[in-house]
Amino acid sequence: MFSRFSRRQVLTIASFTITGTAVAINIPFFKNLFAPKAQAQEISEKVYKGRRYKIIKNQTPGRNGTINNTVDTSTQLFIDDKEIKIFQHKKTKKYTSSLLFGEFESPEKIAKIVIDLGLKFPEKEVELDPEID
């Protein structure tokens, strides 16, 4: 098959094939060269009844952004450095958490209710006892 090509031409074709394959494999990583600017964040940290809570609001939807264009998850809530998953409904502008039932006006209200209830969060992952059915 390569009898019509010289040794130099075969090596050139092989090197272009290897180079082209390497470039094609790395195309998904090229987007990292053109990364957007850092996201603007508004961070408020407060202490309530001896426990610290922190609310981080991303000005540009980052982390998870939006889900189905109805829920915004760009606000994060941390109590004692443990993240509480919250999201905001775009139409009602109310916040909801999987930890509590109902809708709340702000992440501060969710934090204060969790602290008032005295909920504590484990330091590490909770495992089930294999002896219990």
Side-chain angles (χ1 to χ4, degrees), residues 14-121:
S15 66
F16 280 132
T17 304
I18 291 170
T19 305
T21 303
V23 168
I25 289 173
N26 289 318
I27 284 177
F29 300 109
F30 285 142
K31 68 179 179 180
N32 294 337
L33 296 175
F34 307 105
K37 295 179 183 177
Q39 296 177 0
Q41 292 181 338
E42 178 184 328
I43 300 173
S44 67
E45 193 168 337
K46 298 179 183 173
V47 176
Y48 179 72
K49 293 188 178 180
R51 292 180 68 185
R52 184 171 50 98
Y53 68 91
K54 178 171 43 173
I55 298 167
I56 301 173
K57 294 182 181 179
N58 294 322
Q59 299 301 328
T60 55
R63 176 171 94 95
N64 294 333
T66 58
I67 301 171
N68 296 334
N69 293 329
T70 58
V71 175
D72 181 16
T73 59
S74 61
T75 303
Q76 296 173 281
L77 172 63
F78 293 89
I79 299 177
D80 298 329
D81 295 326
K82 304 289 184 209
E83 184 176 10
I84 308 295
K85 303 275 187 193
I86 62 171
F87 55 90
Q88 181 183 26
H89 194 273
K90 284 189 163 188
K91 288 183 182 177
T92 63
K93 300 293 184 195
K94 301 223 181 204
Y95 289 89
T96 305
S97 173
S98 58
L99 189 62
L100 301 169
F101 291 108
E103 294 181 337
F104 302 93
E105 297 294 323
S106 66
E108 291 89 6
K109 291 203 184 240
I110 294 175
K112 289 180 179 181
I113 289 173
V114 168
I115 293 171
D116 285 340
L117 290 173
L119 297 177
K120 302 276 184 180
F121 305 102

